[in-house]
Amino acid sequence: MKIASLFGQGRTVFSCEVFPPKKTSPVDTIYKTLDGLKDLKPDFISVTFGAGGSQVNQSTWEIASIIENQYKIPAMAHLTCVRSTPGEVAEVLSQLKASNVENILALRGDRTPDMPPKTDFLHADELVSFILRRGDFGVSAACYPEGHLESPDLVSDIRYLKQKVDAGAQHLVSQLFFDNEEYFRFLERCRIAGINVPIEAGIMPVLSKSSIERMVSMCGASLPRKLTRILGRYGDHPEALREAGLAYAIDQISELIAEGVDGIHLYTMNNPEVAKQIAGSISSIRAV
């Protein structure tokens, strides 16, 4: 099933993201996470592309295959430009096709100082085109409500996003954000630019002050005053911050659904209990 076909059914699509285990852990350790997520009945689960070498990268399609074939949930495997040559992408596509995985999230990927990037694909739109020339895949792409850190301005960022959609991306997943107003303004810019594919809102619950500060520094998401106050008051109290962070995420999702967002993509951090709490709190809201 192509992920783009899930939209337009009169309900809010709900999906989750997981990441491969560390290189020192067997791929089987992902079963605990997936066992916890399956009861939530997500519309699909995406699997990130590891930055730790071929072993991690291979586990991406292995986990996607497990999700698709054992759990019978549509899977979306991540592929990145900075970690892939055309030959490597072609090999992964063959593996995915043989495993009945037909959905891919095409990304440029984050550059890291200790791993020189591959340069065959410079931008995600090139990877989107390459994938679509080599099989009947459903291809998705990423978007950035507050603009990519490397974009010169928001107008340029939307222009780059339009190039990905014009190349064939049928569905978009947003980077995490904490200010819904920023997301609504982003949606308006997209529609004005003629970007009319489904756009899912990427939500990451705040469970740790240090991890959120690290993520914000990497992706450029702003922290609204309400969330800053929460971090200031509860940042040194893990249990209190967990409760407040979950409440903030649930409130954020509730407003997005009320405004008619296409879908919610939950960054689970491989924590099924957190995903269960959030999904349980919004189950009735999604059904309306």
Side-chain angles (χ1 to χ4, degrees):
M1 175 187 291
K2 302 292 194 304
I3 285 172
S5 69
L6 297 169
F7 297 87
Q9 308 296 322
R11 64 182 183 83
T12 306
V13 169
F14 177 72
S15 58
C16 300
E17 180 173 293
V18 299
F19 53 81
K22 294 179 180 179
K23 287 188 292 183
T24 54
S25 302
V27 71
D28 290 354
T29 59
I30 198 66
Y31 281 113
K32 181 178 179 180
T33 297
L34 298 178
D35 285 342
L37 294 178
K38 69 177 180 180
D39 293 336
L40 308 183
K41 295 181 170 57
D43 291 292
F44 70 90
I45 298 177
S46 73
V47 187
T48 67
F49 196 69
S54 59
Q55 178 182 337
V56 175
N57 297 340
Q58 181 173 338
S59 66
T60 296
W61 70 261
E62 291 178 350
I63 293 168
S65 177
I66 290 169
I67 293 167
E68 190 82 40
N69 298 296
Q70 296 185 33
Y71 288 85
K72 306 300 181 183
I73 299 171
M76 180 171 71
H78 293 206
L79 273 176
T80 69
C81 295
V82 298
R83 299 286 172 256
S84 307
T85 64
E88 289 168 339
V89 172
E91 181 179 355
V92 171
L93 294 179
S94 296
Q95 293 166 335
L96 292 173
K97 186 174 182 179
S99 302
N100 302 314
V101 177
E102 56 182 340
N103 293 289
I104 298 169
L105 181 64
L107 304 160
R108 191 202 70 178
D110 297 324
R111 298 188 177 103
T112 55
D114 56 334
M115 294 186 71
K118 308 289 178 64
T119 58
D120 297 278
F121 302 107
L122 296 179
H123 304 288
D125 62 309
E126 299 171 10
L127 183 57
V128 170
S129 298
F130 184 90
I131 294 168
L132 288 173
R133 291 196 302 269
R134 280 157 179 78
D136 183 25
F137 291 98
V139 183
S140 303
C143 57
Y144 302 84
E146 298 175 69
H148 193 283
L149 282 176
E150 297 177 25
S151 293
D153 51 59
L154 294 178
V155 173
S156 299
D157 196 73
I158 291 293
R159 185 166 64 248
Y160 300 146
L161 181 59
K162 183 70 161 56
Q163 290 175 357
K164 289 190 270 191
V165 174
D166 289 345
Q170 304 136 14
H171 156 246
L172 301 173
V173 179
S174 91
Q175 179 59 272
L176 63 90
F177 62 93
F178 301 104
D179 187 340
N180 284 355
E181 291 304 315
E182 292 283 359
Y183 186 75
F184 296 141
R185 285 191 287 268
F186 164 72
L187 287 182
E188 184 178 13
R189 294 194 298 273
C190 286
R191 302 318 183 198
I192 290 172
I195 298 172
N196 296 311
V197 299
I199 302 176
E200 277 195 278
I203 301 297
M204 178 177 284
V206 175
L207 304 177
S208 161
K209 183 178 180 180
S210 60
S211 64
I212 286 301
E213 288 176 343
R214 183 174 64 254
M215 289 300 299
V216 166
S217 69
M218 291 172 59
C219 72
S222 60
L223 294 176
R225 182 181 300 178
K226 179 180 178 180
L227 184 54
T228 300
R229 288 199 298 265
I230 288 172
L231 291 171
R233 184 176 182 108
Y234 305 118
D236 296 326
H237 305 278
E239 288 302 315
L241 180 60
R242 184 180 187 278
E243 288 187 18
L246 284 172
Y248 188 93
I250 291 165
D251 184 59
Q252 191 180 2
I253 291 170
S254 299
E255 182 184 25
L256 290 165
I257 293 175
E259 291 290 336
V261 70
D262 291 323
I264 300 295
H265 190 67
L266 186 64
Y267 295 107
T268 70
M269 297 165 286
N270 286 19
N271 189 328
E273 294 307 314
V274 167
K276 285 180 182 179
Q277 280 192 255
I278 292 174
S281 298
I282 65 170
S283 59
S284 297
I285 297 171
R286 288 178 58 214
V288 174

